[in-house]
Structures are given as structure tokens and as C-alpha cells.
């Protein structure tokens, strides 16, 4: 009961939090964590690349937070050129209003030579697996790291130890070169992923030059493990399996699930899963005369399939040669499973907050497809969105009274599709229950179709499924009669085929969300290339009065680029503590 009382107290504190006081974060202030973003030469996958790094490495250090508790995380921009931010991927709206880390949406980015103190408070009930990453340009390909939120109650599943396994991509070209090619009228694709990294390690072939090696995940015979898989890739949609081991899913995107046994995972960019793995006993290992097993990773829905490996290493044996790559692969090369686990993965506990179809006040259908005009772009309902579209961040304009939220909402409703083409936002009122349908379409010129992992900032949504063709609300509701949808923050819009007719429907993904928290939230494809090419949207929840009543007044130092809320070598920042 002690752990339960702690959680109840934290929950009460959340509900009754004051609007905070203002402090100078001078030398007497000690943040819980310090992250320093630099740009420098760094070696991965036997190749040197100029990359954005966190604390000098990729991935950066693991952060460990506790639900319901305030954490101060100071982020320095030590780069000489270029802005940065850090986004706490998957954490819900219960952070301070400028702490989501989405530039042009909810905060000014951190200028070179400055730092910003993020106030991060994981919501009670969302203990699980997350990660952090820059939200500027292509920096997230390397500037990222794991973030784990621990529960204030005993976990519902028992295990002896845990391991964090962060998956990422490697590209030979620099961030600038990739962005210049993607946004140029002389469009140049970034190229496909050169390597799938596991905790920053990868090796392509045994005779690669250099000291790079496969990642090794060490375990002990007979113990049970929680493996936390983080899909921090830029492009890759990955199928993952462990040689001679099955696993049981117990968490998806920070929400506990009913245990579901599986032999593999499909992980899109931005998704996270926790699984239970029971290590083999000494007797089982002796029987097979083997103490290491390969983790096989395969890219899906790409023009060319790439298969890479890591090693699950049992103690007590001869060290495996991590510079040797298995050939042929120990497992069959994976193929995509369309709609994987739709209507199968369920919440561990009954969720009385799930809105039924009759509660939906408005449905927003977002058609997504690629278009070629003077350059190649991705459109949502006919418009792209890039980080430099608004002259100043939307949330800043709301505080400054420069963005008329009522007029924005009226225009969106009048257009009939919920989209305001003037601000390029999707506004909603507090109290609405909205259904958001992502509708995949064939490319305008040749009918090509891609898979997209869509990620929502702010509040988690209920993933109510997906399928081929066009969304049918009545038919889908029948499937939900016997299914308890889980809350997610990232789910995959499948393509179902490589090509179709131009603008023809080819797959949908549907979400439901109760609009309860005022703010400006990015909703976007989490493939970095697609984001740079315009595959992003902005949802504005609540009007200006809702925003102000939720946060109270804010200091001008938050409302200007490089303002006094951003510290540097000459002055300490003036910071409001939104959670006392």
C-alpha cells in the first residue's frame, strides 16, 4: 500500500499544482541532468561522419525519471552554427508549456552558445520506455538517447534484470548535405540506410576495415529479462527476431499491455516495446552447445532490404568474435506483416476513458501523398509544413496575442476538413472528442506508396486500428466491440502495396483522442526525410484563454529568440517553475 499512497499523492499534487514562481537559475541551481549538444567527427559502422552528438556520443546517456516527479534537464547548444532543441519523445502534455522541444510549434530553439532548462514531469500512469532527440532538421539521426520512466508503484510484471536496446540508422552523408538534397529543386535523395545500429554499434561485413563491431547484449542463464526496444531510426522500419528465443510483449509506447507472445517485433521509427525474455538454463545451453545467439534486424518496405545483426551473449563461455558477421543469416529474412498486431495488442487494465463512436464530435481525415512541383514534397490535405513556415512559434504567437485562435477554428470548421490553410494548423476545442484518420494515397505522378510511422506530441491517442483501402467507421467499430484499444503515441500507416493509381486510397490508420490539454502539438511522420520534405502537421488544442489559464502569465524571456529564459556564458536564465 505504501507505493500506492505515493502515486496518489503525486497525482493529487499534479492536479493541484500552482502556476509556479520565477527563479534565476544561477550557480546555486543544480539540474537533475545536463546534456550538451555538439557537432563533431564521430565514427560509427566503421565510418567517420560529422554528426550532432549528445555528451560526445551517439546515442547519448540514458536518462532515468520517475513518474509524477519534476525533473530539470539542462541542454547546452555547444555547436558553433545551428539551433537545437531536445524533444522528450512520447511523454504526454504534462510538461511545462515550452518544454516539448518542438521548434516553430511550442518554443524558440536554443541558439548556439546558449542553454535551456527543460522542466519535465512524466505523468503518473505512464511509466515505460521513451527516448529523447533533437527536433531540428536531421540532427535526430545521431543526437538522441534512451529515456526510461520508472513507476512509483511495483511493476505489474516480474523480471530479474532489464536491458535497453536502442535502434538507429547510419548515413554516410552529413545532415546538411542530406537536407540540402531533399529541399533542393534539384532533388537528391539521402540514399538508403547504410547500417542499422544497436546501441550505436554495427558491422556490415566481416572484412570491414576499422574496429567497429556488433553490439553485444549480455545475459545470465536462467534469469528473466525486460528488454526495452527503442525505435530511434531515421528511416528504417525494422523487423527484429532473436535466434532460438521467443518473447512476450508487455509494454508499447509507455503503456502496459496484456502479455502477448510473439517470435518477432516490427518497430517503426518512434515506436517502443518492452518484452519479457526468459534466458535459457545451463542445461539448455549445454544441449545446443552454444552460448551466443544473433539478434537479426531487417528493413521493411524499402526498395532494397538490409539485414544487420547484434549478439545476445550468455556469460560463462568463450567470447564471441563481434567482428564476424553471420553468413548466411541464421534466420529467414523477414517480410512485412501488414497491420501487425492491429486488434491484437490490448491494454493490461480496463480503460474506462476510451471514447466510443457515438462520443466522437468530429472526424478529421488527413490525406497524405507525395507530390512533385518545383521540388519533391509530402502533402497533408494539399499542404506541406516545414519548420520555417511560421515566422515565430505558434505558442509564442498565442501568448503574444498575434494568433487569433477563434478565427483559426472558424476557418477550419468552414472548410469542412478541420484544417485552416492560413495558419496550416488543425484546431480543436477543449472537450471535443476527435477522430483522426490518416489516409494513404498514391503519389500524384506515378502512384507510389510509402509506409509512415505517425507520431503525436502532447496527449497519447487511442489507436483504433488500420486497414487497406478507405476507412469505414461503422465496420471498424464492430471490430472494437471485442477489442480494448491501447493508447499509443506512434503507430504505422501501412502502404499495403508499392504502387496504385495516383491519389487512390491505399491504407488508413485511425486515432481517437479526448481534447483535454491546451497547447500546440506536432503530429508528423517520424521518418526524418519525410519530415524535412513537409510531412508534418500542427494541432492547436484549446483557445488563447485555455492556454493562459493552464499556464498563467509567462515571462518575456520565453517569447523572444535567445531571450532571458535562455542562459549563456554572460547571464543565468530567468526561469518559471511551472510545477512547484
Amino acid at each position: 500500500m505504501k507505493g500506492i499512497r505515493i502515486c496518489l499523492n503525486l497525482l493529487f499534487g499534479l492536479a493541484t499544482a500552482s502556476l509556479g514562481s520565477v527563479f534565476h537559475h544561477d550557480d546555486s541551481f543544480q539540474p537533475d541532468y545536463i546534456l550538451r549538444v555538439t557537432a563533431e567527427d564521430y565514427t560509427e559502422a566503421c565510418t567517420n561522419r560529422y554528426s550532432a552528438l549528445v555528451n560526445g556520443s551517439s546515442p547519448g546517456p540514458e536518462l532515468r525519471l520517475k513518474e509524477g516527479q519534476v525533473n530539470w534537464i539542462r541542454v547546452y547548444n555547444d555547436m558553433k552554427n545551428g539551433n537545437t532543441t531536445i524533444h522528450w519523445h512520447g511523454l504526454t502534455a504534462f510538461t511545462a508549456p515550452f518544454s516539448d522541444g518542438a521548434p516553430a510549434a511550442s518554443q524558440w530553439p536554443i541558439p548556439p552558445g546558449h542553454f535551456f532548462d527543460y522542466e519535465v514531469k512524466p505523468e503518473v500512469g505512464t511509466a515505460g520506455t521513451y527516448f529523447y532527440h533533437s527536433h531540428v532538421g536531421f540532427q535526430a539521426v545521431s543526437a538522441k538517447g534512451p529515456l526510461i520512466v520508472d513507476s512509483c508503484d511495483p511493476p505489474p510484471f516480474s523480471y530479474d534484470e532489464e536491458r535497453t536496446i536502442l535502434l538507429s540508422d547510419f548515413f554516410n552523408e552529413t545532415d546538411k548535405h542530406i537536407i540540402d538534397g531533399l529541399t533542393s529543386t534539384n532533388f537528391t535523395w539521402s540514399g538508403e540506410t547504410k547500417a542499422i545500429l544497436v546501441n550505436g554499434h554495427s558491422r556490415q561485413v566481416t572484412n570491414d576495415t576499422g574496429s567497429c563491431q556488433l553490439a553485444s547484449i549480455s545475459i545470465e542463464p536462467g534469469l528473466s529479462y525486460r528488454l526495452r526496444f527503442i525505435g530511434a531510426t531515421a528511416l528504417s522500419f525494422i523487423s527484429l527476431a532473436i535466434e532460438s528465443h521467443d518473447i512476450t510483449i508487455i509494454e508499447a509506447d509507455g503503456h502496459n499491455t496484456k502479455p502477448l507472445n510473439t517470435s518477432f517485433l516490427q518497430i517503426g521509427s518512434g515506436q517502443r516495446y518492452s518484452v519479457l525474455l526468459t534466458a535459457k538454463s545451463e542445461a539448455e545451453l549445454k544441449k545446443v552447445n552454444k552460448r551466443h545467439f544473433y539478434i537479426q534486424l531487417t528493413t521493411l518496405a524499402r526498395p532494397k532490404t538490409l539485414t544487420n545483426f547484434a549478439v545476445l551473449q550468455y556469460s560463462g563461455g568463450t567470447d564471441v568474435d563481434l567482428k564476424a558477421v553471420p553468413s548466411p543469416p541464421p534466420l529467414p529474412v523477414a517480410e512485412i506483416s501488414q497491420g501487425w498486431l492491429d486488434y491484437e495488442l490490448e491494454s493490461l487494465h480496463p480503460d474506462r476513458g476510451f471514447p466510443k463512436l457515438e462520443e466522437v464530435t468530429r472526424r478529421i481525415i488527413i490525406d497524405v501523398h507525395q507530390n512533385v512541383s518545383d521540388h519533391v514534397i509530402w502533402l497533408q490535405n494539399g499542404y506541406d509544413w516545414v519548420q520555417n513556415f511560421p515566422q515565430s512559434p505558434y505558442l509564442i504567437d498565442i501568448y503574444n496575442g498575434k494568433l487569433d485562435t477563434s478565427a483559426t477554428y472558424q476557418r477550419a470548421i468552414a472548410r469542412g476538413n478541420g484544417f485552416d490553410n492560413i495558419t496550416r494548423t488543425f484546431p480543436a476545442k477543449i472537450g471535443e472528442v476527435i477522430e483522426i484518420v490518416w489516409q494513404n494515397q498514391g503519389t500524384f505522378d506515378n502512384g507510389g506508396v510509402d509506409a509512415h510511422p505517425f507520431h503525436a506530441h502532447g496527449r497519447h491517442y487511442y489507436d483504433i486500428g488500420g486497414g487497406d483501402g478507405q476507412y469505414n467507421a461503422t465496420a471498424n467499430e464492430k471490430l472494437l466491440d471485442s477489442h480494448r484499444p491501447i493508447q499509443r503515441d506512434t503507430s504505422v500507416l501501412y502502404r499495403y502495396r508499392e504502387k496504385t493509381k495516383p491519389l487512390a486510397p491505399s491504407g488508413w490508420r485511425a486515432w481517437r483522442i479526448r481534447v483535454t490539454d491546451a497547447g500546440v502539438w506536432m503530429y508528423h511522420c517520424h521518418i526524418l526525410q519525410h519530415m524535412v520534405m513537409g510531412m508534418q502537421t500542427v494541432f492547436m488544442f484549446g483557445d488563447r484563454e485555455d492556454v493562459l489559464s493552464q499556464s498563467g502569465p509567462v515571462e518575456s524571456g520565453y517569447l523572444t529568440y535567445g531571450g532571458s529564459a535562455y542562459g549563456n556564458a554572460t547571464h543565468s536564465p530567468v526561469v518559471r517553475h511551472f510545477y512547484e
Side-chain angles (χ1 to χ4, degrees):
M1 290 297 293
K2 182 178 179 182
I4 295 174
R5 291 193 188 98
I6 291 173
C7 272
L8 288 176
N9 288 337
L10 289 171
L11 184 60
F12 179 75
L14 177 67
T16 60
S18 71
L19 295 179
S21 303
V22 177
F23 296 88
H24 275 85
H25 280 192
D26 56 19
D27 291 343
S28 66
F29 175 77
Q30 296 297 317
D32 298 287
Y33 290 100
I34 293 176
L35 302 178
R36 307 196 78 111
V37 180
T38 59
E40 54 193 281
D41 288 334
Y42 189 72
T43 300
E44 292 179 311
C46 291
T47 306
N48 197 50
R49 181 184 188 271
Y50 188 73
S51 301
L53 306 174
V54 180
N55 290 11
S57 66
S58 181
E62 178 173 297
L63 306 185
R64 202 97 194 189
L65 313 182
K66 181 163 282 190
E67 59 180 0
Q69 293 188 3
V70 173
N71 302 266
W72 286 97
I73 306 174
R74 175 166 290 181
V75 176
Y76 287 87
N77 183 359
D78 290 336
M79 297 186 293
K80 294 181 180 179
N81 298 294
N83 299 319
T84 197
T85 65
I86 293 292
H87 168 58
W88 319 101
H89 181 104
L91 294 187
T92 58
F94 287 99
T95 58
F98 305 105
S99 286
D100 184 53
S106 59
Q107 78 163 120
W108 286 109
I110 307 170
H114 288 66
F115 64 87
F116 186 77
D117 289 340
Y118 287 94
E119 187 178 14
V120 180
K121 185 175 184 177
E123 187 178 3
V124 171
T126 59
T129 308
Y130 301 87
F131 68 111
Y132 61 87
H133 61 81
S134 170
H135 219 288
V136 173
F138 210 74
Q139 291 176 10
V141 72
S142 52
K144 56 176 169 281
L147 187 157
I148 309 301
V149 176
D150 289 316
S151 175
C152 50
D153 289 336
F157 304 100
S158 61
Y159 45 89
D160 296 306
E161 297 181 13
E162 62 179 64
R163 301 286 186 267
T164 300
I165 302 171
L166 185 143
L167 312 176
S168 56
D169 284 333
F170 178 78
F171 292 87
N172 291 340
E173 303 293 350
T174 64
D175 297 350
K176 183 180 185 305
H177 186 275
I178 289 173
I179 289 178
D180 288 347
L182 295 175
T183 57
S184 170
T185 53
N186 184 22
F187 176 78
T188 304
W189 176 237
S190 64
E192 295 297 304
T193 301
K194 297 297 186 290
I196 306 169
L197 305 170
V198 176
N199 292 341
H201 297 281
S202 181
R203 190 175 181 90
Q204 298 305 293
V205 294
T206 302
N207 60 0
D208 265 342
T209 58
S211 60
C212 65
Q213 58 188 23
L214 303 179
S216 176
I217 311 300
S218 61
I219 62 173
E220 297 291 332
L223 297 186
S224 60
Y225 290 86
R226 178 179 187 159
L227 305 182
R228 298 178 181 268
F229 289 99
I230 299 173
T233 53
L235 174 65
S236 295
F237 183 17
I238 291 173
S239 180
L240 179 150
I242 305 175
E243 182 187 9
S244 301
H245 292 73
D246 286 338
I247 51 179
T248 301
I249 298 173
I250 59 169
E251 177 225 341
D253 293 357
H255 293 277
N256 295 322
T257 68
K258 294 172 66 175
L260 193 152
N261 297 328
T262 180
S263 59
F264 70 100
L265 296 176
Q266 280 189 183
I267 307 177
S269 175
Q271 293 187 309
R272 292 92 57 213
Y273 292 96
S274 280
V275 306
L276 294 180
L277 179 143
T278 300
K280 295 182 182 297
S281 66
E282 283 289 358
E284 290 173 312
L285 292 171
K286 288 181 180 178
K287 187 176 181 179
V288 297
N289 192 29
K290 188 174 182 179
R291 299 191 76 89
H292 74 271
F293 301 85
Y294 285 102
I295 303 172
Q296 186 165 315
L297 308 101
T298 303
T299 58
L300 304 171
R302 299 307 309 162
K304 184 178 180 180
T305 298
L306 175 66
T307 299
N308 282 178
F309 305 92
V311 174
L312 188 72
Q313 176 69 48
Y314 283 82
S315 65
T318 304
D319 288 341
V320 62
D321 182 2
L322 297 177
K323 292 185 178 181
V325 177
S327 181
L331 298 171
V333 175
E335 295 184 358
I336 192 168
S337 177
Q338 304 286 358
W340 183 68
L341 296 190
D342 285 351
Y343 313 102
E344 294 180 57
L345 198 62
E346 293 190 300
S347 175
L348 179 62
H349 300 294
D351 191 337
R352 296 182 179 87
F354 172 62
K356 295 289 187 179
L357 180 60
E358 58 267 21
E359 297 180 69
V360 173
T361 58
R362 191 154 54 95
R363 180 174 297 119
I364 297 173
I365 299 176
I366 306 177
D367 296 322
V368 296
H369 69 272
Q370 192 180 89
N371 191 47
V372 180
S373 53
D374 59 339
H375 61 290
V376 182
I377 55 177
W378 284 97
L379 303 178
Q380 295 79 224
N381 287 353
Y383 289 84
D384 63 333
W385 193 93
V386 292
Q387 287 181 357
N388 62 3
F389 170 73
Q391 295 300 305
S392 58
Y394 294 104
L395 188 62
I396 304 301
D397 283 349
I398 289 174
Y399 279 108
N400 283 329
K402 295 180 179 180
L403 196 158
D404 189 334
T405 54
S406 295
T408 300
Y409 184 82
Q410 291 168 6
R411 287 194 299 266
I413 296 300
R415 282 176 57 86
N417 61 0
F419 177 68
D420 174 33
N421 64 323
I422 303 300
T423 59
R424 299 194 189 182
T425 63
F426 290 86
K429 290 187 176 295
I430 301 296
E432 283 194 271
V433 177
I434 57 175
E435 195 167 86
I436 301 169
V437 181
W438 301 95
Q439 182 67 61
N440 221 343
Q441 294 181 327
T443 298
F444 184 75
D445 58 341
N446 64 7
V449 189
D450 261 340
H452 305 285
F454 274 100
H455 171 57
H457 293 216
R459 172 62 62 188
H460 292 182
Y461 53 80
Y462 289 94
D463 188 316
I464 61 172
D468 197 1
Q470 282 186 306
Y471 175 63
N472 183 311
T474 303
N476 194 59
E477 196 68 9
K478 291 180 180 178
L479 295 175
L480 300 179
D481 287 342
S482 58
H483 174 68
R484 294 184 297 182
I486 188 171
Q487 292 188 68
R488 300 293 299 261
D489 60 69
T490 310
S491 53
V492 177
L493 173 64
Y494 288 87
R495 65 181 186 175
Y496 289 93
R497 57 193 53 79
E498 294 184 22
K499 280 194 174 184
T500 185
K501 295 179 180 179
L503 302 185
S506 183
W508 56 269
R509 169 66 56 185
W511 302 345
R512 276 188 204 149
I513 184 170
R514 294 184 185 273
V515 181
T516 57
D517 303 286
V520 180
W521 311 114
M522 295 297 304
Y523 281 35
H524 60 87
C525 177
H526 209 265
I527 292 174
L528 296 187
Q529 288 89 334
H530 293 178
M531 290 174 60
V532 169
M533 295 164 66
M535 202 170 197
Q536 307 180 81
T537 62
V538 180
F539 273 73
M540 291 198 306
F541 287 173
D543 54 27
R544 185 170 188 268
E545 290 69 27
D546 296 319
V547 170
L548 295 178
S549 64
Q550 185 170 285
S551 67
V554 299
E555 285 59 49
S556 61
Y558 287 101
L559 306 181
T560 56
Y561 175 70
S564 60
Y566 295 76
N568 61 24
T570 63
H571 72 266
S572 302
V574 179
V575 178
R576 177 172 290 276
H577 288 208
F578 288 92
Y579 299 108
E580 295 282 40

